[in-house]
Amino acid sequence: MMTNLSILYISLAGNTRSFVTDLQDYAQQQHTTNPALPTIKLTEISDATPLKDETAPFYAFVPTYLDGGNGIDNGVKELMTNSLGEYIAYGHNADLCYGVIGSGNRNFNEQYCLTAKRYAEQFNVPFIADYELRGNSRDVGRIYMLLVANAQKHA
Ligand SMILES: Cc1cc2nc3c(=O)[nH]c(=O)nc-3n(C[C@H](O)[C@H](O)[C@H](O)COP(=O)(O)O)c2cc1C
C-alpha cells in the first residue's frame, strides 16, 4: 500500500489551496486511524516555479479561468493556470500524472471545470473528479477515496 500521495496544484484566489489543505488534514486523520491509508504531500505550482523533472507519481488539481468561448466551440483562452499545464507538459512529467481533479463554478455551465478536462485530454490521463469552489467535507471524503482507489490501480 502506498504511504504517501503527491498533489501538485495551482491556486490564484486560494480556493484550491483551501481544498487541498482540507484534503491533507483529512488524509492525516485517515492515516492515523488506519496506517495503510496514505497521507498527502502538497506542492504549489505558480508562474515562479522552475520547471523540473518530477520523480514520483502525482495528481494535479486545477481550477478553471477561461476568457471567452462557451466551452463547446474553440473560443476559450486559458488564463492564470497555464504554468501548471506547462509544468505537466515538461519532460516526462505527464507520464507520472495519475490524473487531474478539476474545480470551478457551476455558473459557468459548459465551461465548468473545463481546464481540468482539457488537461486530461491533452496529457491522456484520467479526469478523476470535480468540485465547486472550496468544496465541502463530502467532497473531501469522496475525492480522497478516488485518489486512493486510482493509485491502487497503479500499484
Ligand atoms: C476570471 C474568472 C474566470 C473563471 N472562469 C471559470 C470557468 O470558465 N469555468 C469554471 O468552472 N469556473 C471558472 N471560474 C471560477 C474559478 O475556477 C473558481 O473560483 C475556483 O475555485 C478558483 O480557484 P482558486 O481560488 O484556487 O484560484 C472563473 C473565475 C474567475 C475569477
Side-chain angles (χ1 to χ4, degrees), residues 11-16 63-66 103-105 108 111-113 133:
S11 186
L12 291 309
N15 289 346
T16 308
T64 312
Y65 288 89
L66 294 174
S103 60
N105 182 331
F108 286 87
Q111 282 188 201
Y112 173 61
C113 291
L133 301 169

Side-chain angles (χ1 to χ4, degrees), residues 1-8 20 23-32 34-43 54-59 96 98 144 147-152 154-155:
M1 186 62 194
M2 81 254 12
T3 55
N4 196 264
L5 298 175
S6 178
I7 290 176
L8 302 187
V20 295
L23 202 54
Q24 185 179 46
D25 292 346
Y26 180 81
Q28 185 59 57
Q29 290 165 20
Q30 295 299 109
H31 178 74
T32 303
N34 177 358
L37 289 169
T39 55
I40 287 177
K41 172 179 164 244
L42 300 178
T43 305
E54 285 295 308
T55 53
F58 64 88
Y59 288 103
L96 288 167
Y98 275 174
Y144 179 73
L147 300 185
V148 172
N150 205 273
Q152 277 168 344
H154 295 269

Side-chain angles (χ1 to χ4, degrees), residues 3 18 25 36 43 45 49 51 66 70 79 90 123 134 148 151:
T3 55
S18 167
D25 292 346
T43 305
I45 304 294
T49 307
L51 295 173
L66 294 174
N70 59 15
L79 307 172
Y90 180 74
F123 300 120
R134 293 189 169 212
V148 172

